[in-house]
Amino acid sequence: MQNSYKRVDAHLSSLGYCSRSEAKKFLKIFQVRVNGERVFDTNKKVYHNDIIIDEIVLDPETLTVLMHKPSGIICSHDDVGVLIYSLLPERWQKRNPKLSTIGRLDGDTTGAILLTDDGALNHRLTSPKSDISKLYEVTLAQPLKGNEAEIFTSGTLILRGEKKPLLPAKMNVISESVVHLEISEGKYHQVKRMFAAVGNKVTALHRVSFGKYSIENLAIGEYKIL
């Protein structure tokens, strides 16, 4: 766990509690204590783990969050619409560096997504070499033909516009038009394109888990710090 040593106003601004210019006012309004002693000097250098605000410990220096993403929410900082970051506490939206999603889910896709301000972690988990398992519940427009699992498991399926075949994917049938699909890649619209390649269309897509992180205990729109 990080425990940086820097000015009080630097701690507060990097974690989104206030800007540096607002720090003096913040210290007057809120009881900011270091080792039990109230602090009013924004220049005072302290360790992150020693700071308490109104009897509550500071947010972590690096933050990673698991969210149950609702439909209609956009995984972007810049696009028009309801952005995923708007579902988080206001101060988390002001953190520096910014929180970013680890990969993306389409606007109409629901389920497990991670957000972090740890750039190294984000890069590691989105790298093509990461081999992170993602489990999806897929609802289809047409009943299954029966050969989809064999095709997906074979490791020979080449998506339109691609040159290399996909890695093997596991499919479990839930009903004639609902399946669980486990993939370890993250190509653009991969699940939708996989079913398009076998003559079907995805009508609803829900990510049940990302790696070891499942949202089974999170309601739609809820999140938790990892």
Side-chain angles (χ1 to χ4, degrees):
M1 183 177 181
Q2 290 189 346
N3 188 23
S4 64
Y5 183 72
K6 58 188 179 183
R7 288 169 41 146
V8 171
D9 58 357
H11 283 293
L12 295 176
S13 62
S14 65
L15 300 179
Y17 286 90
C18 63
S19 67
R20 286 205 176 195
S21 63
E22 297 167 336
K24 284 188 177 181
K25 183 178 180 181
F26 187 92
L27 295 179
K28 290 179 181 178
I29 297 174
F30 299 95
Q31 293 197 29
V32 179
R33 298 183 183 274
V34 176
N35 296 322
E37 180 181 347
R38 189 166 180 183
V39 177
F40 293 97
D41 182 4
T42 59
N43 298 319
K44 183 179 178 67
K45 286 192 172 183
V46 298
Y47 285 103
H48 169 274
N49 293 359
D50 293 335
I51 304 174
I52 302 289
I53 299 178
D54 288 347
E55 306 305 321
I56 300 173
V57 298
L58 281 183
D59 292 336
E61 289 194 89
T62 56
L63 187 62
T64 301
V65 176
L66 172 66
M67 179 185 286
H68 185 163
K69 176 190 171 296
S71 180
I73 302 298
I74 301 170
C75 297
S76 170
H77 282 290
D78 304 316
D79 289 342
V80 175
V82 181
L83 305 186
I84 193 168
Y85 308 100
S86 68
L87 304 181
L88 300 173
E90 185 176 354
R91 71 173 180 271
W92 290 6
Q93 300 175 46
K94 298 177 181 178
R95 288 174 68 99
N96 183 22
K98 290 181 177 181
L99 282 166
S100 296
T101 58
I102 297 178
R104 291 190 178 191
L105 292 178
D106 294 340
D108 60 353
T109 300
T110 61
I113 189 161
L114 298 179
L115 303 94
T116 188
D117 54 10
D118 185 338
L121 175 66
N122 200 327
H123 177 74
R124 186 163 68 251
L125 295 183
T126 53
S127 168
K129 299 179 181 179
S130 66
D131 196 31
I132 301 291
S133 170
K134 299 106 177 172
L135 178 63
Y136 292 86
E137 182 173 287
V138 188
T139 304
L140 301 167
Q142 304 294 331
L144 294 164
K145 298 176 181 177
N147 62 345
E148 292 88 351
E150 181 181 352
I151 293 172
F152 295 159
T153 305
S154 69
T156 61
L157 178 63
I158 300 177
L159 297 179
R160 185 175 182 179
E162 302 282 347
K163 295 182 180 179
K164 294 182 178 180
L166 295 175
L167 295 175
K170 300 177 184 178
M171 193 186 90
N172 291 318
V173 177
I174 307 301
S175 71
E176 65 175 13
S177 59
V178 178
V179 303
H180 279 177
L181 183 69
E182 184 178 349
I183 64 175
S184 58
E185 298 171 286
K187 294 184 180 296
Y188 180 70
H189 289 171
Q190 180 173 335
V191 175
K192 294 177 180 178
R193 293 165 67 198
M194 287 174 70
F195 280 99
V198 294
N200 213 327
K201 181 180 180 180
V202 174
T203 59
L205 188 59
H206 175 77
R207 186 153 72 185
V208 178
S209 61
F210 182 99
K212 63 181 180 180
Y213 301 111
S214 169
I215 56 163
E216 61 181 348
N217 295 321
L218 289 178
I220 296 173
E222 282 190 341
Y223 52 85
K224 65 179 179 180
I225 296 176
L226 301 179

